[in-house]
Each structure stands twice: as structure tokens, then as C-alpha cells.
């Protein structure tokens, strides 16, 4: 779809100001204090590939992106690219100079081109995000020109995502990047100190371009699947920070430790069977009214988390003032079911074993309006392999990063969207997106994105939003400044952590 992208959009330039801008906000709070950060997680390390990961627990230790995200999870900040300009069919990047990969290879425009070509040719969701790219050209050592086949309003946002990390072109050529993890990040992989399946160790990269922004000089990540065992390791002093659960976060506070939480991902009802179970608009509306996401937050997340009424929040592109969403209203849901002629309805919800609480609550809420829900709760790896296969009509979880309305459409409603396994057409949404891409002013573009949100709401194509919050427990005598980026799951901002003397 051609046309004029807009925006701030027609010529967006963001330049690093006054010192470091490599870590997101540019204010690490760590001041290069040094020390060893010992972190415990339930995430298992397999290799240093970038495009296959569901989170950046390990990859963010050694790799960096062209663009980074501020703590709010949406504001773009310079990282390996210090500035950029975007027009409808072109993006120009200015790169940071004096940067080296861990193997001594210079980071330059040729390295960016090599990485973009690899990402664009490797099967993954990130290849889809580069589908609009016609070519990437190294203009000179610090400038890259990206020519587009069509407007790509989400591309700059996607440059800040974990699958877009820059890998040493030498390691790519040698074919050993998956085992060596050669990036430009503040730490480099210490294979000798690491123990596969137990502990992953990274140590300070002595040629890092912005050492003063880095808190810990060494990070040890210990892999323990069970949250109780992780917490016990924290209490025993074997680790300083642990991924944890809401009950254990409360326990940490009572036992002289500390905890923090953040909105990790936005969860909502994923309606995959739009040709059968969820074909009828009134039925979708009834299901949406019958849901009570606050129950999920209270029961599974200790009450920590917001329950928004629409996908985009105030201040984000696509936010539509006045939308009321689908607040919990059993009477309204029953009325809609009656208008459908009554009778029993039945479908399967797939979840996974550790999220049974939310799944059971959803089943109970549907039962209140005469809808029978069967649950399937495999373990998480099994769940990941089948939940979007088209076999299951529904799930409750996130459908990807909240980077903007166009990306939301591409991930959820486009004919080839991963969350649209039946390839259902949504003509009204398609038209709104075309208007957004063809807009000639920022106001026209925003009108189109708000129209997209309004259609989603009116047709009950999405609902049941709630923040699935993440929790950390830590020993404040050993570490401080444990902060996270909103909507970045299973990871915190390692650079900004401060190891106490």
C-alpha cells in the first residue's frame, strides 16, 4: 500500500543529546560502579541466536539494537543509531562511530546491512517485520539508507525489538554466532565460567564505547525453573535478584528483602476461530462483557496491574478517547445471549499449566452466561508449539509487542497475521489501515488509527485487556535500582542495576 506516511513521520529525526544515549533514558543511575550482579531466572539458555527468542533475558546482555526503548516501553531512544530520518519510502540512519564488536570487528554500515539481510532472509516473525524493505545500502561507514517497497510505519519501532539485535558480521560469516554471542553490548560471553543448563556468565567488555553507563562489571545468570527454589536461593545469598511470583514477592517484603513489579505484557482474549465459534458479533460481545480481567489480576497477580478498556493508552498513537470497551456486565452478556436464541455454546480454551488460575476463572465467567469452556493446559513449550495452529479457537495471552496501531494490525488482523490462523478478512480494518498509510498530514493519519481502534471495539474483535505484570525479588543490601522496561518480559535493565559495596 503506497502513499504518504506522515508524521513527524514524514521526517523524524532523533539525535543523542549530551553524552550517552545508549541505554534508553540516558541516565543509568549506576555510574559504572562495578561488582557482580547475580540474577536467578526460570528462563533456560539455549544459544545466542537472536531471531528465535521469546524474550531478551540473555541476548540483551551481549547484543544491542539500532534503537532502544525508554522505560515506558514505547519512547524510542538512540542506541547504535544516533539519529534517523524517515520519509514514506525511505529511512536514513546515522550510526554511532567508534563502536566495536566483542571480536574486534568494527560496527559500521556494512555490519548493519549484513544483519538486516540475515534477519530479512531467516524464517521468523522478524522477517515479516522487514517485508517492506526493498534494500539496505551502506552509504558510508556511518550512514545506512533503507529503501522501502511500501510505507512501513512500524519499522523504526521494530528496530528496537530483540530480534533486531546487531551480531558481528565476522561471527555470522564464520557461522558460530549462536555459540559465541558476539555483539557490541557492555558484557561479553564468558564460556569458560559458564555451565550449560545452570549458569551463564558475562564479563565487562573492555572496549565498550560507554563504560560509565554500565553498573555491574560482571553478570551471572542462574537458571532454576521452580519459583520456590529461586526464592530460596535468594534467601540463602546464592543470588541477588530473582524472577518471582506475586505471593513470593509479598513474602520477600515481610522477610527483610525487597520486591518490585512492572507491566510485563498486555494480555487479552485471543479469538482465533473467527469463522466458527466467534463468527457472530453478538456472541463476541457477550463473551467480552462476561469476562472480568480484574479477577485475573487479583487472583494471579496479587492485584498488581491495570485493566485498560482499549488496546492503546492515552498518549499512544491509536488511542481513541471515549471508547468504553466492555466492562464486566453479566446481565448485558446474558441479554446478548438471549438475542442469539439461547441454547448451549461450547469451545476450547488453550492455556498452559502455570496459568491455570486465569483459565479456570475464564471458564467460570463463561459458565455464568451458559457457555461451556473446555480447558487444555499443556506445559509452556507444548503450548507455544500449537496455540496458533488453528486447532484451538481461543487463548488468553499477549499477541506481541505494543509498538503501535499498524504493527497491531500486522500481527493480529492482516491476512497473513500470526494471530489470524484462519486468514479471515477484515475489510473495515484494511480500509482504515490504507487510510493511515495514504494520509497526507499527521492529523489524518491519527484519525485513521483511531478509526482502527473504534472498529475493533465496536465489532468486539478484541477485549479482556489486563497487564500481566512481572515481579522481581532482590536483596537490597547487595543490589539496588532494579528497574524494567514496560512490556519487555522476563528481563530488567541490567546496565542500570547498582551492585552495593
Amino acid at each position: 500500500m503506497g502513499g504518504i506516511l506522515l508524521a513527524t513521520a514524514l521526517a523524524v529525526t532523533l539525535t543523542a543529546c549530551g553524552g550517552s544515549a545508549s541505554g534508553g533514558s540516558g541516565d543509568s543511575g549506576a555510574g559504572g560502579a562495578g561488582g557482580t550482579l547475580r540474577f536467578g531466572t526460570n528462563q533456560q539458555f539455549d544459544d545466542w541466536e537472536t531471531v528465535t527468542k521469546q524474550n531478551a533475558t540473555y541476548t540483551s546482555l551481549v547484543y544491542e539494537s539500532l534503537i532502544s526503548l525508554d522505560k515506558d516501553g514505547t519512547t524510542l531512544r538512540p542506541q547504535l543509531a544516533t539519529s534517523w530520518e524517515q520519509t514514506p519510502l525511505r529511512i536514513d540512519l546515522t550510526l554511532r562511530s567508534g563502536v566495536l564488536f566483542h571480536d574486534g570487528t568494527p560496527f559500521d554500515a556494512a555490519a548493519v546491512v549484513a544483519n538486516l539481510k540475515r534477519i530479512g532472509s531467516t524464517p521468523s516473525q522478524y522477517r515479516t517485520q522487514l517485508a517492506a524493505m526493498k534494500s539496505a545500502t551502506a552509504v558510508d561507514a556511518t550512514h545506512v539508507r533503507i529503501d522501502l517497497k511500501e510505507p512501513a510505519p512500524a519499522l523504526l519501532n521494530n528496530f528496537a525489538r530483540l530480534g533486531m539485535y546487531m551480531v558481528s558480521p565476522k561471527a555470522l560469516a564464520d557461522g558460530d554466532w549462536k555459540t559465541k554471542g558476539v555483539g557490541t553490548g557492555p558484557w561479553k560471553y564468558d564460556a569458560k565460567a559458564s555451565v550449560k543448563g545452570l549458569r551463564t556468565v558475562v564479563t565487562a567488555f573492555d572496549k565498550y564505547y560507554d563504560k560509565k553507563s554500565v553498573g555491574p562489571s560482571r553478570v551471572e545468570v542462574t537458571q532454576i525453573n521452580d519459583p520456590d527454589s529461586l526464592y530460596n536461593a535468594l534467601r540463602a545469598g546464592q543470588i541477588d535478584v530473582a524472577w518471582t511470583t506475586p505471593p513470593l514477592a509479598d513474602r520477600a517484603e515481610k522477610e527483610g528483602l525487597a520486591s518490585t513489579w512492572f507491566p510485563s505484557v498486555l494480555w487479552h482474549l485471543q479469538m482465533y476461530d473467527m469463522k466458527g465459534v466467534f463468527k457472530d458479533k453478538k456472541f463476541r460481545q457477550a463473551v467480552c462483557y462476561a469476562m472480568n480481567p480484574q479477577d485475573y489480576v487479583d487472583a494471579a497477580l496479587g492485584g498488581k496491574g491495570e485493566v485498560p478498556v482499549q488496546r492503546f493508552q492515552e498518549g499512544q498513537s491509536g488511542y481513541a478517547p471515549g471508547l468504553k470497551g466492555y466492562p464486566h456486565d453479566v446481565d448485558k452478556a446474558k441479554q446478548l445471549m438471549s438475542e442469539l436464541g439461547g441454547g448451549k455454546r461450547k469451545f476450547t480454551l488453550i492455556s498452559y499449566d502455570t496459568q491455570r488460575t486465569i483459565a479456570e476463572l475464564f471458564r467460570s465467567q463463561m459458565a455464568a452466561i451458559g457457555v461451556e469452556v473446555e480447558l487444555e493446559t499443556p506445559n509452556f513449550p507444548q503450548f507455544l508449539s500449537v496455540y496458533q495452529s488453528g486447532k484451538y479457537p481461543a487463548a488468553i495471552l499477549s499477541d506481541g509487542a505494543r509498538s503501535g496501531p499498524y504493527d497491531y494490525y500486522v500481527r493480529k488482523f492482516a491476512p497473513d497475521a500470526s494471530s489470524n490462523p484462519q486468514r479471515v478478512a477484515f475489510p473495515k480494518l484494511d480500509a482504515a489501515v490504507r487510510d493511515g498509510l495514504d494520509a497526507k498530514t499527521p492529523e489524518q493519519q491519527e484519525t485513521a488509527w483511531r478509526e482502527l481502534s473504534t472498529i475493533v471495539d465496536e465489532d468486539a474483535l478484541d477485549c479482556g485487556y489486563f497487564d500481566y505484570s512481572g515481579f522481581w525479588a532482590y536483596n537490597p543490601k547487595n543490589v539496588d535500582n532494579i528497574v524494567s522496561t514496560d512490556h519487555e518480559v522476563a528481563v530488567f535493565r541490567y546496565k542500570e542495576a547498582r551492585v552495593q559495596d
Side-chain angles (χ1 to χ4, degrees):
M1 289 173 279
I4 297 184
L5 245 193
L6 301 187
T8 29
L10 281 183
V12 177
T13 302
L14 186 56
T15 305
C17 302
S20 166
S22 61
S25 65
D27 178 13
S28 72
T36 297
L37 174 67
R38 301 176 301 166
F39 169 47
T41 179
N42 66 334
Q43 301 297 312
Q44 300 298 305
F45 174 77
D46 48 8
D47 60 33
W48 293 106
E49 174 61 277
T50 58
V51 300
T52 59
K53 300 296 179 286
Q54 298 294 320
N55 57 60
T57 303
Y58 296 96
T59 51
S60 63
L61 292 165
V62 301
Y63 296 123
E64 293 178 314
S65 303
L66 294 168
I67 300 171
S68 67
L69 292 172
D70 212 335
K71 295 174 186 177
D72 62 8
T74 56
T75 303
L76 300 180
R77 299 291 188 187
Q79 192 162 62
L80 291 175
T82 58
S83 64
W84 49 86
E85 293 182 0
Q86 182 175 15
T87 56
L89 296 176
R90 179 167 158 176
I91 296 174
D92 291 285
L93 301 170
T94 298
L95 307 180
R96 191 180 298 277
S97 59
V99 177
L100 294 175
F101 287 98
H102 300 157
D103 59 6
T105 303
F107 168 76
D108 57 16
V112 174
V113 171
N115 273 275
L116 293 180
K117 286 183 176 179
R118 182 184 84 90
I119 297 166
S121 61
T122 303
S124 77
Q125 62 173 308
Y126 301 101
R127 180 170 69 175
T128 302
Q129 292 171 4
L130 288 180
M133 186 178 75
K134 181 166 65 176
S135 63
T137 305
V139 178
D140 57 37
T142 59
H143 293 87
V144 175
R145 185 182 75 242
I146 298 171
D147 291 301
L148 304 172
K149 293 180 285 189
E150 60 186 20
L155 189 53
L156 285 175
N157 288 283
N158 288 329
F159 280 158
R161 304 296 167 183
L162 68 153
M164 299 287 185
Y165 284 135
M166 295 290 105
V167 182
S168 164
K170 181 179 184 302
L172 291 175
D174 292 345
D176 58 6
W177 79 95
K178 293 183 183 180
T179 57
K180 291 189 174 180
V182 186
T184 62
W187 304 283
K188 60 181 182 179
Y189 180 44
D190 188 338
K192 291 183 178 179
S194 301
V195 180
K196 189 170 180 60
L198 175 62
R199 183 169 294 112
T200 303
V201 178
V202 295
T203 55
F205 178 38
D206 60 358
K207 294 184 174 60
Y208 188 61
Y209 57 88
D210 190 19
K211 294 180 184 178
K212 66 181 181 180
S213 71
V214 185
S217 58
R218 177 184 173 97
V219 182
E220 298 177 355
V221 184
T222 299
Q223 306 159 47
I224 302 175
N225 188 54
D226 177 63
D228 290 303
S229 299
L230 267 173
Y231 183 73
N232 288 334
L234 175 67
R235 292 181 68 233
Q238 297 168 344
I239 56 178
D240 304 313
V241 185
W243 167 85
T244 196
T245 62
L248 289 174
D250 289 341
R251 180 178 169 186
E253 297 285 347
K254 295 173 183 176
E255 295 184 346
L257 298 169
S259 69
T260 185
W261 66 277
F262 69 104
S264 177
V265 286
L266 183 73
W267 278 31
H268 39 122
L269 178 64
Q270 308 296 321
M271 293 178 276
Y272 298 129
D273 184 7
M274 301 297 280
K275 291 182 177 180
V277 172
F278 297 106
K279 180 180 180 180
D280 193 295
K281 174 181 172 179
K282 284 189 176 181
F283 181 67
R284 296 195 301 269
Q285 290 175 325
V287 168
C288 290
Y289 277 121
M291 291 182 72
N292 187 1
Q294 188 63 53
D295 282 352
Y296 313 151
V297 173
D298 291 342
L301 302 169
K304 304 292 197 304
E306 299 297 321
V307 179
V309 299
Q310 60 177 291
R311 175 61 176 251
F312 304 106
Q313 303 311 295
E314 190 169 1
Q316 280 188 286
S317 181
Y319 174 74
L323 290 189
K324 293 182 171 51
Y326 292 85
H328 182 52
D329 190 334
V330 175
D331 290 339
K332 181 67 173 176
K334 288 181 176 179
Q335 177 187 333
L336 288 162
M337 292 296 292
S338 177
E339 292 172 7
L340 288 167
K344 281 284 187 180
R345 297 210 178 199
K346 178 178 179 179
F347 65 88
T348 299
L349 179 86
I350 186 168
S351 185
Y352 50 97
D353 49 4
T354 59
Q355 299 308 324
R356 180 173 285 277
T357 297
I358 292 173
E360 292 283 5
L361 284 169
F362 177 79
R363 177 163 65 176
S364 175
Q365 291 163 3
M366 294 304 105
I369 62 168
V371 177
E372 182 181 351
V373 174
E374 292 187 348
L375 300 181
E376 287 195 24
T377 54
N379 63 37
F380 189 58
Q382 292 170 334
F383 169 83
L384 284 178
S385 69
V386 298
Y387 78 101
Q388 288 184 325
S389 64
K391 176 182 177 181
Y392 296 98
I396 299 177
L397 74 163
S398 170
D399 58 19
R402 291 172 61 180
S403 58
Y406 180 70
D407 208 37
Y408 171 52
Y409 166 82
V410 168
R411 289 173 181 268
K412 192 169 179 66
F413 299 111
D416 59 351
S418 58
S419 292
N420 184 9
Q422 295 179 334
R423 305 297 182 251
V424 175
F426 298 95
K428 291 190 289 185
L429 294 180
D430 296 342
V433 170
R434 282 195 297 270
D435 288 344
L437 296 180
D438 292 342
K440 294 180 173 58
T441 68
E443 293 76 16
Q444 289 175 348
Q445 189 177 66
E446 188 54 35
T447 296
W449 299 145
R450 289 179 177 178
E451 176 63 14
L452 182 148
S453 293
T454 301
I455 294 167
V456 167
D457 182 76
E458 291 178 348
D459 288 354
L461 299 175
D462 201 356
C463 65
Y465 308 105
F466 65 102
D467 285 334
Y468 193 90
S469 301
F471 294 80
W472 311 116
Y474 63 96
N475 188 336
K477 295 179 180 178
N478 297 342
V479 294
D480 195 9
N481 206 41
I482 305 302
V483 296
S484 301
T485 302
D486 288 0
H487 310 122
E488 291 288 336
V489 63
V491 66
F492 57 94
R493 298 165 76 95
Y494 303 122
K495 283 176 64 174
E496 299 180 24
R498 182 185 295 109
V499 178
Q500 309 284 38
D501 293 333

